Amino acid sequence: MHLAGADEIWLLGGVQAVAAMAVGTDSMEPVNLIAGPGNAYVAEAKRQLFGEIGIDLFAGPTEILVLADDQADPFVCAVDLLSQAEHGPDSPAALITTSREVAEKTLAEVERLLPGMPTRDFAEPAWRDHGQVLVVDGIDELYELADTFASEHVEVLTAEPRLALERMTQYGALFLGEGTCVSFGDKVIGTNQRWSGRRRASTGSRRPHTAPAPWTSATAPVPRCSSISRWSRSCAAASPTSPATSGPWSGPVCSSMPSSR
């Protein structure tokens, strides 16, 4: 954040952080604009303050869509589904797969992992009420169905994950292959993205000026972005170049960071 030009850095979170930044405190001056996602309480706080200060947009709950073929690891599918479901009881988590075996084993892994999660109070109702596992006949149907979701985060666990770049157009960010995941994109490798929100695409994005972001691409560990047009669709894709760039570098950094929601 310092390298990005931040004048002050505060470690705050929740509704109290929104209130402090909006009206100021003994040690903090009020800000002009608040940007970034949060849970339902943060969204309501931003709604009530809209007009007194600027805000970027009203963001809905976080979500994840995992695309998997018969080569995918059901444990990885389950962990990554729950990594977003734990953000709140209204967070959708869906798996589309070409393999019934992967679908059934993923369901079993979710049931095994849920009872021991410290965030079970959030993850369990989210999975119960908004979780989905869908089995399709082939890779063509998988991508066709995935585009109808227009999900914020799309994780591709297939033999040829980069095919998604050619076949999909409706998403916030793509995470290509087992070596990357949503947490890397949100907290480490720096991809921009739009908040799609289940067929409710937003023109907002995670950028300081809150304008629609350009197409971007990033390869862990060093982001590399290319601007095409200020008004082009905001999308992002991330994939590691090798296991060495995913595990030893990004893993420890990401795992040391608290949840942003």
Side-chain angles (χ1 to χ4, degrees), residues 162 165 171 174 176 189-192 214-220 222-228 235-239:
R162 298 191 70 82
L165 291 170
Y171 57 86
L174 284 177
L176 306 176
I189 59 179
T191 51
N192 293 320
W215 283 87
T216 64
S217 62
T219 302
V222 181
R224 179 173 62 84
C225 300
S226 58
S227 298
I228 295 177
C235 292
S239 64

Side-chain angles (χ1 to χ4, degrees), residues 163-221:
L163 183 61
L165 291 170
E166 303 173 11
R167 304 295 298 276
M168 293 188 65
T169 59
Q170 303 302 317
Y171 57 86
L174 284 177
F175 301 89
L176 306 176
E178 192 174 301
T180 187
C181 62
V182 174
S183 300
F184 283 6
D186 281 352
K187 301 179 175 67
V188 178
I189 59 179
T191 51
N192 293 320
Q193 69 194 56
R194 66 181 177 189
W195 285 305
S196 291
R198 286 288 179 99
R199 300 183 295 277
R200 297 181 296 277
S202 167
T203 55
S205 60
R206 296 185 190 184
R207 310 190 72 189
H209 51 67
T210 73
W215 283 87
T216 64
S217 62
T219 302

Side-chain angles (χ1 to χ4, degrees), residues 4-226:
D7 298 313
E8 297 181 23
I9 299 173
W10 293 84
L11 298 179
L12 302 171
V15 173
Q16 61 272 25
V18 177
M21 289 186 290
V23 303
T25 68
D26 291 342
S27 56
M28 180 190 299
E29 292 293 323
V31 302
N32 295 319
L33 183 146
I34 293 178
N39 59 23
Y41 299 101
V42 170
E44 176 61 18
K46 289 169 66 178
R47 187 193 68 80
Q48 292 189 24
L49 290 167
F50 179 55
E52 297 186 31
I53 59 170
I55 66 168
D56 52 348
L57 79 164
F58 298 113
T62 188
E63 60 192 10
I64 184 172
L65 174 63
V66 176
L67 308 181
D69 61 11
D70 59 357
Q71 303 298 308
D73 185 338
F75 173 76
V76 173
C77 294
V79 168
D80 290 344
L81 288 168
L82 293 175
S83 74
Q84 296 304 299
E86 71 175 2
H87 281 80
D90 55 354
S91 294
L95 167 68
I96 304 176
T97 178
T98 58
S99 168
R100 180 170 294 276
E101 180 180 4
V102 169
E104 292 174 349
K105 289 185 176 180
T106 297
L107 286 170
E109 289 287 359
V110 169
E111 295 304 315
R112 181 179 69 83
L113 293 167
L114 258 178
M117 292 180 63
T119 52
R120 178 181 178 180
D121 288 348
F122 289 156
E124 191 169 49
W127 180 249
R128 180 190 65 230
D129 299 335
H130 304 287
Q132 290 180 277
V133 176
L134 306 170
V135 180
V136 296
D137 290 333
I139 203 73
D140 291 338
E141 186 179 353
L142 179 141
Y143 286 126
E144 182 179 348
L145 180 59
D147 248 4
T148 68
F149 275 69
S151 185
E152 176 189 8
H153 304 112
V154 181
E155 190 166 303
V156 187
L157 304 177
T158 62
E160 299 182 51
R162 298 191 70 82
L163 183 61
L165 291 170
E166 303 173 11
R167 304 295 298 276
M168 293 188 65
T169 59
Q170 303 302 317
Y171 57 86
L174 284 177
F175 301 89
L176 306 176
E178 192 174 301
T180 187
C181 62
V182 174
S183 300
F184 283 6
D186 281 352
K187 301 179 175 67
V188 178
I189 59 179
T191 51
N192 293 320
Q193 69 194 56
R194 66 181 177 189
W195 285 305
S196 291
R198 286 288 179 99
R199 300 183 295 277
R200 297 181 296 277
S202 167
T203 55
S205 60
R206 296 185 190 184
R207 310 190 72 189
H209 51 67
T210 73
W215 283 87
T216 64
S217 62
T219 302
V222 181
R224 179 173 62 84
C225 300
S226 58

